[in-house]
């Protein structure tokens, strides 16, 4: 043993730190009343509207960057990074706010661009199809059991698998 023979000591926290660390205020009630549930629904519905309003400019930005992506490798790299960020954001919030198909389409897009360092014309087409699908999905009501919408999502995953 190469130690100096000293034993480990436990140092107790100061009392004022203990008081600061403990929250004595009452948190959220566990019994959900109808008024509380109604309030939560209102917040989620407002967030849905903001979600669609915030996603549309992001998709428009992707379309604008896509046209420049074939010009230089640097533009393609910037486009890939932006596509990863946008698809990740949509993937994370879509299902929570009532857009499960948007989440699925964004996941497919994120899977396609994840760990990608370059793009060819075919890759840009795959991204374009995903962006167009996201526009359509966000423009209409969501019905996860709709066979047509489900077929579109399945087609996106097939594109990602084939060209990814």
């Amino acid at each position: 043993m190469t130690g100096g023979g000293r034993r480990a000591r436990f140092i107790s926290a100061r009392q004022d730190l203990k008081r600061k660390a403990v929250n004595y205020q009452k948190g959220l009630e566990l019994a959900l009343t109808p008024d509380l549930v109604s309030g939560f629904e209102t917040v989620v519905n407002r967030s849905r509207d903001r979600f669609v309003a915030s996603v549309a400019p992001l998709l428009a930005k992707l379309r604008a960057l896509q046209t420049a992506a074939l010009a230089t490798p640097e533009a393609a790299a910037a486009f890939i990074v932006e596509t990863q960020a946008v698809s990740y954001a949509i993937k994370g919030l879509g299902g929570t706010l009532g857009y499960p198909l948007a989440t699925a389409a964004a996941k497919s897009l994120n899977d396609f661009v994840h760990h990608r360092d370059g793009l060819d014309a075919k890759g840009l087409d795959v991204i374009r199809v995903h962006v167009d699908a996201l526009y359509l999905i966000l423009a209409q009501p969501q019905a996860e059991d709709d066979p047509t919408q489900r077929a579109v999502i399945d087609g996106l995953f097939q594109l990602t698998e084939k060209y990814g």
Side-chain angles (χ1 to χ4, degrees), residues 105-154:
K107 180 188 180 335
S108 176
L109 177 57
N110 193 269
D111 290 350
F112 182 74
V113 295
H114 193 66
H115 298 302
R116 185 173 291 274
D117 54 359
L119 284 173
D120 57 3
K122 192 79 75 181
L124 285 172
D125 286 341
V126 170
I127 293 172
R128 182 186 49 77
V129 168
H130 278 83
V131 170
D132 291 345
L134 282 165
Y135 268 116
L136 291 173
I137 287 168
L138 293 172
Q140 51 188 288
Q142 299 289 284
E144 200 168 2
D145 57 346
D146 182 346
T148 304
Q149 290 179 346
R150 191 76 244 161
V152 169
I153 298 301
D154 291 343

Side-chain angles (χ1 to χ4, degrees), residues 6 8-9 16-17 32 47 64 69 90 94 124 135 142 144 155 159:
R6 295 177 55 186
R9 290 186 326 164
D16 61 327
L17 291 178
L32 295 177
S47 297
I90 296 170
L124 285 172
Y135 268 116
Q142 299 289 284
E144 200 168 2
L159 267 176

Side-chain angles (χ1 to χ4, degrees), residues 66-116:
Q66 184 175 4
T67 57
L70 278 178
T72 65
E74 294 81 19
F79 178 62
I80 291 169
V81 168
E82 189 65 28
T83 303
Q84 286 173 339
V86 169
S87 62
Y88 189 77
I90 296 170
K91 179 177 89 164
L93 284 174
T96 304
L97 298 175
Y99 290 93
L101 296 173
T103 293
K107 180 188 180 335
S108 176
L109 177 57
N110 193 269
D111 290 350
F112 182 74
V113 295
H114 193 66
H115 298 302
R116 185 173 291 274

